[in-house]
Amino acid sequence: MKFICSQKNLSASINIVQKAVSTKTTLPILKGILIEACDQKLKLVGTDLEVGIEHYIDADILSEGAIVISSRLLGDIIRKLPDADVEVEVDETNTMTIKCANSEFTLIGQPSVEFPELPAVEEENTYEIPQDLLKNMIRQTAFATALDETRPILTGVLMEIQEGIINMVALDGYRLSLRQGNIKADFNNKAVIPGKTLNEIHRILSEEENAKVDIFFTDKHVLFQMANVRVISRLLEGEFINYKQIIPKDFKSRVKVKTRDLLDSIERASLLAREGKNNLIKFSVKDEMMTITSNAEIGRVYENLRIELEGEDIDIGFNSKYFLDALKILDSDEIYLDFTTNVSPCIIKPTDTNNYTYLVLPVRLAG
């Protein structure tokens, strides 16, 4: 195999497929990237057997072939080469020679036949979605997935497509994040996609206008196809929680507040809340004022915020981290906080759109 391509393109491509390469695997072949030269295109593939990423770049293919090469080493070498053409040659012994300007490297690779094939996904029944919409939906949900593996299904995000509406839902037992969007879809589907996969896709997706991503499902896998990138991931097995039953329909108190003011106040209050056991902050809502307090052994903080209140006064406590996580991803200037009782979930919604709902459970207050 022999090809010539630009250092920038090759480095960017390695960076994309590296996102699927496992550093903790016991299989040495999975620590490598498959490089295949064929049909005047260079294909790079990384996989950890859970998710696989293929990326195609233009190259001058002088002879076809394939090799698996250490992802970490190759990435470091190509990144540090000058911005010039890179010439790569591989001989029958799987020895790779890399030449660029005044530099020359030799690396020992592995035969490509040992590299696992990515699962085949039939490219029919396509869902097409704007990349900027999907990127935003992932940003506003994936953070709420569970981190521990005791309930594996909660480490993923439910993607539900029904009658042209796409819902993405994540929950971890303490909070729930639901984002809704509109897409063209002639058929319904639902699947749970690992949060790790979606976070990697979020890094790859562009925010360019008119850029699209095609999504294909099988019973066990999902394929995301962008311009020159394909991401194939396994789906999580099991029944996702019926999230619609969890979200309260009514409220007894509704607070309207500026998002940035509430974020800043909670961030200041959480400086002391972090010193306690469970990041506890307390909201006292009365008339047109919300007081945010936090007590720790080393001190106390009070924050007063102007609000608009509809309904009853309420005192309620929360883990400040769960509130901050939501406020940081909201794009609206003002939000509603809907309360029922001081032991019922709080619902956070933007005031200017119905496409986002965040639920957070309270912490019981002493006394």
Side-chain angles (χ1 to χ4, degrees):
M1 174 171 77
K2 188 175 183 181
F3 64 86
I4 298 169
C5 69
S6 84
Q7 178 270 343
K8 267 191 177 160
N9 287 353
L10 187 55
S11 184
S13 183
I14 292 167
N15 191 39
I16 287 171
V17 300
Q18 268 181 339
K19 293 174 172 52
V21 176
S22 173
T23 51
K24 297 174 182 170
T25 181
T26 52
L27 294 170
I29 196 83
L30 294 182
K31 293 181 181 174
I33 290 173
L34 170 68
I35 299 179
E36 192 175 334
C38 187
D39 299 331
Q40 289 307 308
K41 284 274 182 192
L42 198 63
K43 178 171 84 169
L44 283 80
V45 185
T47 184
D48 62 2
L49 301 181
E50 302 276 315
V51 60
I53 302 178
E54 286 180 3
H55 190 229
Y56 295 83
I57 58 171
D58 291 324
D60 184 8
I61 310 294
L62 303 173
S63 63
E64 296 184 349
I67 190 172
V68 178
I69 208 87
S70 162
S71 162
R72 184 184 57 79
L73 258 181
L74 183 67
D76 288 348
I77 289 167
I78 301 299
R79 190 166 54 249
K80 292 193 181 297
L81 288 175
D83 182 5
D85 280 348
V86 179
E87 182 184 293
V88 177
E89 190 166 5
V90 177
D91 66 18
E92 311 78 54
T93 65
N94 290 303
T95 301
M96 175 184 271
T97 306
I98 303 166
K99 295 177 183 174
C100 180
N102 300 317
S103 302
E104 183 173 324
F105 289 85
T106 304
L107 295 176
I108 307 299
Q110 293 168 273
S112 60
V113 289
E114 294 177 15
F115 196 79
E117 277 192 37
L118 299 190
V121 176
E122 289 291 323
E123 293 178 26
E124 52 188 42
N125 293 351
T126 320
Y127 297 103
E128 187 184 84
I129 180 168
Q131 288 198 30
D132 57 349
L133 172 60
L134 182 60
K135 193 176 178 81
N136 210 23
M137 292 184 81
I138 295 171
R139 181 177 69 90
Q140 293 187 322
T141 54
F143 72 90
T145 53
L147 296 176
D148 68 66
E149 298 278 345
T150 49
R151 295 176 76 186
I153 198 79
L154 297 187
T155 63
V157 176
L158 174 69
M159 184 180 280
E160 194 176 52
I161 300 165
Q162 210 161 17
E163 293 169 5
I165 291 170
I166 178 168
N167 286 333
M168 287 178 67
V169 189
L171 57 96
D172 65 2
Y174 302 100
R175 37 69 180 289
L176 175 152
S177 189
L178 162 64
R179 176 67 157 85
Q180 200 170 72
N182 296 308
I183 61 169
K184 289 178 184 170
D186 300 325
F187 40 92
N188 301 335
N189 206 331
K190 70 175 179 179
V192 183
I193 303 166
K196 175 178 175 279
T197 298
L198 289 173
N199 285 325
E200 299 305 354
I201 286 168
H202 181 267
R203 294 187 182 103
I204 296 168
L205 288 167
S206 93
E207 291 178 349
E208 289 174 27
E209 274 191 58
N210 305 320
K212 300 276 196 265
V213 55
D214 292 325
I215 307 174
F216 309 88
F217 289 98
T218 67
D219 290 343
K220 295 204 161 134
H221 293 92
V222 60
L223 163 63
F224 293 87
Q225 188 159 294
M226 294 143 266
N228 296 313
V229 188
R230 287 159 49 92
V231 181
I232 299 167
S233 170
R234 71 177 181 94
L235 297 171
L236 294 178
E237 294 178 10
E239 199 59 39
F240 201 78
I241 289 169
N242 185 347
Y243 68 92
K244 289 172 185 170
Q245 288 184 338
I246 301 170
I247 301 170
K249 302 287 185 287
D250 306 308
F251 59 86
K252 290 183 179 171
S253 313
R254 167 167 275 187
V255 168
K256 185 179 180 184
V257 63
K258 287 190 167 25
T259 313
R260 186 78 233 177
D261 292 351
L262 182 60
L263 174 63
D264 290 345
S265 287
I266 295 177
E267 280 191 325
R268 287 190 290 268
S270 70
L271 295 173
L272 280 187
R274 286 202 303 257
E275 303 296 321
K277 281 183 184 171
N278 51 8
N279 277 329
L280 178 64
I281 55 169
K282 180 180 164 187
F283 294 170
S284 291
V285 176
K286 193 169 184 179
D287 301 327
E288 299 299 295
M289 190 66 72
M290 180 156 97
T291 304
I292 301 171
T293 55
S294 179
N295 295 328
E297 286 180 13
I298 59 164
R300 171 181 304 182
V301 58
Y302 287 88
E303 288 277 337
N304 287 312
L305 268 178
R306 285 244 159 247
I307 58 163
E308 291 176 32
L309 173 63
E310 176 190 329
E312 303 170 6
D313 299 347
I314 191 168
D315 290 340
I316 190 167
F318 293 99
N319 180 321
S320 61
K321 177 190 182 305
Y322 296 142
F323 242 89
L324 289 173
D325 284 350
L327 295 175
K328 285 172 181 171
I329 55 87
L330 280 161
D331 301 320
S332 304
D333 292 336
E334 290 186 309
I335 52 170
Y336 292 124
L337 309 179
D338 291 347
F339 304 100
T340 314
T341 70
N342 63 1
V343 290
S344 306
C346 166
I347 298 294
I348 303 175
K349 289 181 174 178
T351 59
D352 57 356
T353 175
N354 291 320
N355 68 17
Y356 187 70
T357 303
Y358 183 81
L359 173 152
V360 58
L361 292 179
V363 176
R364 284 183 180 271
L365 296 170

